[in-house]
Amino acid sequence: MRTTDRRTPSPSPSPTPTTVPAAAPTSRPGGGQLGAPYAEAVLGHAGRDWLRLNVPGHAAAPGSDLAGFFGSRITALDFPPLLDGIDLGPDTPLDRALALAAEAWGARRTWFLTNGASQGNQIASMVAPALGRTLVVQRSVHSSVIDGLVLSGLDAVFVQPSVDPEQGIAHGVTAADVAAALERTPDAAAVYIVSPSYFGAVADVRAIADTAHAAGVPLIVDEAWGSHFGFHPGLPANALSSGADLATSSTHKLAGSLTQSAMLHLAEGPFADLLEPLVDRAFRLVQSTSASALLTASLDLARRSLVTDADSTGRSVEAADRVRAAVRALGRFTVVSDGFHAFPDIAGADPLRIAIDTRAGGITGHAARRRLFRDHQIMVEVATDAAIVAVIGAGSVPDTDRFVEALHTLPSPLTTDSTRAGGMLRLPAPGATKLTAREAFLSPAEVVAAEEAVGRISADTLAAYPPGIPNVLPGEVITAEAVRFLQRTAAAPNGHVRGALDLGVTRLRVVA
């Protein structure tokens, strides 16, 4: 590990392209970005006549319930890790798959994760104490970042995002916001932001990275929703190419790998020598010792598809554009991203995210999502009181006409429990911070009725989910506004509060 002071970073070059081009295939058979070395090796291994007297316990038996339900090929490919010649040994297929992923995303090094981007956020938070005592962090981060604060014990200075009061959604932060937070945080470890947001708002990562680096600290980006960025001219540049030092990539979301698979990317930048061994150790600490070969192989295949088939990604962008154009032309609903220009923290938008203001058309987002699911067999990603968000994965071209037609057959006007209860849900302002997340989480606690918790310090993270952005943090004072918001969220169709003790959020855990 390098011993250079963190506030005098080395002049190591950082990547500068605005997009990540597809790499040319190498001359090695099956090599280069056209190959999928890990997935191909697992497939070849499964094709041999094994007598499996090891875990997993299903032993790929052709007559098992698993094989009958999922198909025998799934169980045949379900190997444990640490296979000689695949995971272990010199220049393994796993090594080559990781190197190809790093090349594709413009990283110095990439780690495959089998516990989602949440694992990557926890790793990033855990390494930050080696850099300083306080994390300068966007307040609207995913709850897994707060989980990381509990694990690391770091103090936090929160940068408040802009909020769209009409939509009730949080966007991002500006470089000026970050600079002001760094000015009052002399022991800053790193800056931690989210880009893109759940609604597709993209931050000015380059400006924020420059601000962080000028203060001598790295920029960590939760790019969970932007794993596809940089792989087509119609998409925004990815975080690493914009100056980020560490980026969490939820590859399963829009880049095509299996659910729960993700990547963590380290840039070839001024903090790489310091961060790499720390990230590697933290990765081993939180990665399962039984990492799924299926999830890992899906990451290898998703990388290959993104790099080698930009045309398919282009067709996905065109499909999303068609939906937005149809919504505008028909006039009943409005497109949320059409109003992004009003927010100084938004530098762009993810075209594969389709956020539609449903209240403009006489129906709440929650009711629209429920009726699309129940009456039309259409699933969208998330709903709020005011909107729904549909997503199109890179390489996917769904039946957009079916979606537009179903959307416009939704009843209007529609009175719902939500509207009768007092109008649109607005995001509550956070309560005052009294303890660090770790101090509050580990303190003696008691469970009280929700109304009695007002004014007390929360011991838990409470987040309306999705998107999973915490509304109450461990160590924050619980407000009456937050209790009302969480209870109304829980009462809405498909509403859920992550971290709540009961479905209705009638009891809360507070510091004793």
Side-chain angles (χ1 to χ4, degrees):
M1 184 186 302
R2 204 177 54 188
T3 57
T4 305
D5 184 87
R6 67 181 178 86
R7 296 192 182 273
T8 54
S10 70
S12 303
S14 41
T16 56
T18 57
T19 59
V20 179
T26 69
S27 58
R28 188 192 331 174
Q33 294 291 346
L34 289 176
Y38 183 83
E40 292 161 0
V42 170
L43 182 62
H45 193 71
R48 300 173 66 183
D49 183 18
W50 294 106
L51 174 61
R52 294 174 62 163
L53 303 177
N54 60 343
V55 296
H58 59 70
S64 70
D65 282 349
L66 281 176
F69 192 84
F70 293 114
S72 59
R73 187 160 189 173
I74 292 292
T75 54
L77 292 168
D78 185 23
F79 288 110
L82 304 180
L83 289 173
D84 188 46
I86 295 181
D87 307 283
L88 297 178
D91 190 30
T92 64
L94 178 59
D95 292 334
R96 295 196 293 274
L98 288 166
L100 288 170
E103 179 183 63
W105 270 270
R108 169 174 174 158
R109 185 170 174 187
T110 290
W111 290 262
F112 285 169
L113 311 176
T114 55
N115 197 30
S118 294
Q119 182 186 350
N121 284 331
Q122 291 164 6
I123 291 170
S125 299
M126 288 169 64
V127 303
L131 305 167
R133 287 305 313 157
T134 304
L135 196 64
V136 174
V137 57
Q138 182 175 326
R139 177 56 179 79
S140 53
V141 289
H142 190 264
S143 57
S144 58
V145 178
I146 307 306
D147 296 342
L149 288 176
V150 172
L151 292 171
S152 70
L154 277 174
D155 290 331
V157 168
F158 290 104
V159 185
Q160 298 301 324
S162 69
V163 174
D164 182 340
E166 296 303 317
Q167 290 294 325
I169 56 176
H171 293 309
V173 296
T174 65
D177 296 330
V178 171
L182 287 167
E183 183 72 21
R184 63 179 189 270
T185 314
D187 60 347
V191 173
Y192 212 129
I193 68 165
V194 179
S195 182
S197 72
Y198 214 99
F199 277 70
V202 179
D204 189 346
V205 177
R206 170 58 66 186
I208 296 172
D210 289 345
T211 299
H213 294 166
V217 298
L219 173 64
I220 304 169
V221 179
D222 179 356
E223 199 177 31
W225 281 99
S227 55
H228 54 298
F229 281 11
F231 289 97
H232 184 271
L235 297 173
N238 71 26
L240 292 192
S241 69
S242 299
D245 297 284
L246 197 61
T248 297
S249 175
S250 193
T251 324
H252 73 89
K253 283 185 165 63
L254 291 181
S257 63
L258 291 175
T259 297
Q260 203 172 308
S261 60
M263 299 186 194
L264 183 62
H265 304 294
L266 173 68
E268 185 66 87
F271 299 93
D273 288 347
L274 178 60
L275 288 173
E276 184 174 357
L278 295 172
V279 172
D280 202 40
R281 292 172 65 197
F283 166 78
R284 290 196 298 272
L285 194 66
V286 298
Q287 175 77 324
S288 171
T289 56
S290 301
S292 167
L294 290 168
L295 296 183
T296 304
S298 77
L299 289 168
D300 197 19
L301 293 168
R303 181 270 313 156
R304 181 175 68 179
S305 294
L306 278 174
V307 174
T308 63
D309 194 4
D311 288 346
S312 289
T313 300
R315 288 190 287 273
S316 302
V317 173
E318 291 168 0
D321 286 342
R322 284 197 300 272
V323 173
R324 282 185 288 268
V327 169
R328 295 183 189 112
L330 291 169
R332 177 181 170 188
F333 302 102
T334 58
V335 177
V336 173
S337 58
D338 287 349
F340 279 1
H341 63 277
F343 297 90
D345 52 276
I346 301 179
D350 176 10
L352 295 186
R353 215 83 52 86
I354 308 166
I356 297 171
D357 183 340
T358 58
R359 284 207 170 203
I363 185 170
T364 68
H366 290 300
R369 182 189 190 192
R370 183 179 70 241
R371 286 176 175 264
L372 286 169
F373 183 91
R374 184 189 69 191
D375 301 338
H376 301 277
Q377 291 75 57
I378 293 174
M379 293 187 286
V380 296
E381 176 58 29
V382 69
T384 67
D385 245 23
I388 58 172
V389 182
V391 299
I392 295 179
S396 170
V397 184
D399 186 346
T400 55
D401 290 342
R402 176 181 169 187
F403 172 60
V404 171
E405 180 180 355
L407 184 67
H408 287 82
T409 61
L410 294 175
S412 172
L414 182 70
T415 300
T416 68
D417 292 340
S418 177
T419 56
R420 284 195 299 265
M424 187 182 72
L425 278 173
R426 296 185 181 274
L427 289 176
T433 300
K434 298 296 185 180
L435 299 171
T436 69
R438 184 180 180 88
E439 287 169 342
F441 187 87
L442 296 178
S443 291
E446 58 182 325
V447 175
V448 300
E451 58 270 18
E452 295 175 14
V454 174
R456 302 285 297 273
I457 299 172
S458 178
D460 289 330
T461 300
L462 301 171
Y465 205 95
I469 297 171
N471 307 106
V472 177
L473 303 181
E476 282 185 348
V477 173
I478 298 168
T479 66
E481 183 186 15
V483 170
R484 286 194 298 271
F485 174 85
L486 293 171
Q487 288 181 338
R488 286 186 58 193
T489 296
N494 306 111
H496 173 67
V497 176
R498 182 181 187 266
L501 296 174
D502 58 78
L503 293 177
V505 197
T506 64
R507 300 172 299 134
L508 298 176
R509 184 181 286 109
V510 297
V511 174

